[in-house]
Amino acid sequence: MDIRIGMLGFGFMGKTHAYAVENLKYFYKNLPFTARITALCTAHKDTSCAACAEYGFDRACGSEDEIISDPDIDAVDVCTPNIFHYETVKKILRAKKHVMCEKPLAVTYEEAAELARLADEAGVTTQIVFNNRYMAPVLRAKQLIDSGRLGDIIGFRSAYLHNSCMDPNKPAGWKQTGEYGGGVLRDLGSHAIDLVYYLCGDFERVSGKSLIYYRERAGMDGAVWKTTADEAFYITAQLKSGAIGTIEANKLTVGVNDDLSIFVHGTRGSLRFSLMDPNFLEFYDGSLPGGDYGGDRGVTRIECVNRYPEPGGVFPGVKAPVGWLRGHVGNMYNFCSAVYEGRQAAPSFFDGARISAVIDAAERSDRADGAFVAVAQP
Ligand SMILES: NC(=O)c1ccc[n+]([C@@H]2O[C@H](COP(=O)([O-])OP(=O)(O)OC[C@H]3O[C@@H](n4cnc5c(N)ncnc54)[C@H](O)[C@@H]3O)[C@@H](O)[C@H]2O)c1
């Protein structure tokens, strides 16, 4: 089966999804399907054309309707600003196409609930993007909670912190603009809320408080503008189970980068995950005995490095931490750029020979029972 995907929007997330589609075959073994992006529509036809030329998608479209009505497209991937999700997804469902939509599903609850109902009626495959659920430590956290290793969940602290609203002179993007369905609660808060929902269960009631610290900042055109969307949002939440916790979404936290974290504590244990430390899940098993000097009690740092089960666990394998592949992409870029520019690349074969010289000397030393030996010089 070949899944032909029409993509709407090709900013940060459009590129991210395209990368995922193109690389599925490396990360999942013997896939019974292929998937490819066959058509793209962005806000302007010329940017769609430029992206198709650069990334090799078959066709640039001038309107989303062209994609939605195309019988040769099986699924639509919605990566547009939040304000457009509702009308677009409604049309896609009416056309009975499969649809994946970036978070938040819609700007208001009424719209989102309607889309959920229409999705049921349409009988197609639908998915909202909460990508953090697929991080190995989060999957392991879910396993631990579902198997009762934390006992009853008492509470949680979930936070998604950025520093991206700290410069009031930087022109606002649509994510800082209420009219586009922006604001930190919908943007980062949706992820922080979803982690609680996924790991701990559904919500009963919440108390919320928003903050706009920079009341005036540069608007989209650079001129002084009144901020129209929350820059930070604080929630206290109670779940149906009775568990209580806090959720914070904040773009005013100087000194952090992409800091999503969750701490969950129950009657038997607790766990902690941070997106900035994505190879590990911290787990405290309260059933282990303490004792003299501490006994066995303490936090286990579970090494989750790429430990995805088959068919997803073959590449890049459990020895490759998150981020390792990026080094290889950088390495390949370096070589290809040098070939293209007709110049020598670095590290060079000279550098390679220097490493071999050290290996050779170390082995000679080993044979001489560890005596110092000279490293061969060029
Ligand atoms: N899951 C995540 O980790 C994550 C991260 C960032 C953003 N998002 C979500 O992804 C969506 C897109 O965000 P982004 O950061 O890629 O935004 P972006 O501003 O980088 O890109 C938006 C894209 O949509 C296009 N666009 C705008 N209006 C359009 C229209 N009417 N029809 C077709 N295309 C249109 C623009 O040309 C652009 O290509 C948002 O819903 C956002 O909340 C998710």
Side-chain angles (χ1 to χ4, degrees):
M1 180 189 188
D2 186 27
I3 303 170
R4 298 160 301 179
I5 299 171
M7 178 163 283
L8 304 180
F10 199 65
F12 182 39
M13 274 308 109
K15 289 188 190 72
T16 305
H17 291 199
Y19 175 88
V21 169
E22 286 173 12
N23 288 286
L24 277 177
K25 59 180 177 288
Y26 294 105
F27 289 87
Y28 294 86
K29 195 176 170 183
N30 299 330
L31 282 178
F33 58 83
T34 53
R36 63 199 163 94
I37 294 162
T38 56
L40 171 69
C41 171
T42 64
H44 307 284
K45 180 87 187 255
D46 55 336
T47 56
S48 304
C49 289
C52 285
E54 185 171 357
Y55 295 91
F57 312 135
D58 298 352
R59 193 157 60 89
C61 299
S63 82
E64 64 180 25
D65 294 335
E66 247 182 85
I67 287 185
I68 295 169
S69 62
D70 185 341
D72 290 330
I73 287 177
D74 306 299
V76 184
D77 185 353
V78 181
C79 296
T80 52
N82 302 345
I83 195 72
F84 301 119
H85 293 183
Y86 170 65
E87 290 297 343
T88 301
V89 172
K90 241 184 0 179
K91 283 196 267 180
I92 301 167
L93 291 172
R94 237 183 263 130
K96 303 259 186 261
K97 286 196 180 339
H98 308 298
V99 52
M100 184 163 84
C101 181
E102 262 297 348
K103 44 53 60 173
L105 182 54
V107 173
T108 69
Y109 168 63
E110 288 72 22
E111 292 170 351
E114 186 186 342
L115 292 182
R117 185 176 54 73
L118 293 174
D120 271 352
E121 290 168 8
V124 292
T125 300
T126 57
Q127 187 176 306
I128 175 95
V129 179
F130 283 123
N131 44 299
N132 298 296
R133 289 189 182 203
Y134 301 97
M135 302 296 291
V138 174
L139 290 161
R140 180 71 180 119
K142 175 83 174 146
Q143 230 180 21
L144 286 167
I145 290 172
D146 287 355
S147 62
R149 299 284 298 279
L150 269 69
D152 294 337
I153 302 301
I154 298 171
F156 50 84
R157 285 186 195 123
S158 180
Y160 206 157
L161 314 179
H162 273 196
N163 59 12
S164 50
C165 282
M166 284 304 292
D167 181 1
N169 297 315
K170 187 176 132 201
W174 67 261
K175 285 175 193 162
Q176 280 86 50
T177 309
E179 295 83 328
Y180 280 84
V184 70
L185 179 61
R186 287 182 180 76
D187 192 18
L188 302 183
S190 54
H191 284 296
I193 294 167
D194 180 63
L195 276 191
V196 173
Y197 173 68
Y198 177 56
L199 293 174
C200 305
D202 205 349
F203 290 78
E204 178 81 38
R205 58 185 191 150
V206 299
S207 145
K209 188 87 192 83
S210 69
L211 171 69
I212 295 177
Y213 182 78
Y214 294 104
R215 296 252 148 224
E216 285 190 342
R217 57 169 59 244
M220 286 189 174
D221 60 1
V224 175
W225 170 79
K226 293 239 177 296
T227 307
T228 56
D230 46 290
E231 299 169 330
F233 211 106
Y234 308 86
I235 293 174
T236 304
Q238 183 167 20
L239 305 187
K240 288 178 177 167
S241 65
I244 294 182
T246 58
I247 300 171
E248 176 180 352
N250 204 325
K251 290 192 176 180
L252 296 167
T253 41
V254 69
V256 304
N257 187 339
D258 192 37
D259 203 335
L260 171 67
S261 65
I262 185 158
F263 174 68
V264 181
H265 58 103
T267 49
R268 290 184 56 197
S270 61
L271 56 80
R272 191 188 301 268
F273 166 68
S274 165
L275 188 55
M276 294 300 285
D277 194 10
N279 292 298
F280 297 97
L281 175 71
E282 291 186 355
F283 173 50
Y284 179 86
D285 184 345
S287 68
L288 291 177
D292 290 347
Y293 316 117
D296 289 331
R297 196 158 280 171
V299 173
T300 304
R301 207 164 134 80
I302 301 175
E303 186 213 282
C304 303
V305 176
N306 268 316
R307 289 182 190 276
Y308 291 95
E310 295 270 327
V314 283
F315 180 80
V318 298
K319 286 286 170 223
V322 176
W324 176 85
L325 271 177
R326 183 61 183 85
H328 274 282
V329 174
N331 174 69
M332 188 57 73
Y333 170 75
N334 200 54
F335 176 69
C336 292
S337 304
V339 170
Y340 173 69
E341 290 164 14
R343 60 175 168 81
Q344 186 47 265
S348 65
F349 280 8
F350 176 87
D351 299 324
R354 292 310 298 141
I355 307 309
S356 293
V358 176
I359 291 170
D360 169 72
E363 286 177 341
R364 280 188 284 118
S365 166
D366 182 41
R367 288 193 292 274
D369 202 22
F372 273 103
V373 301
V375 173
Q377 297 302 317

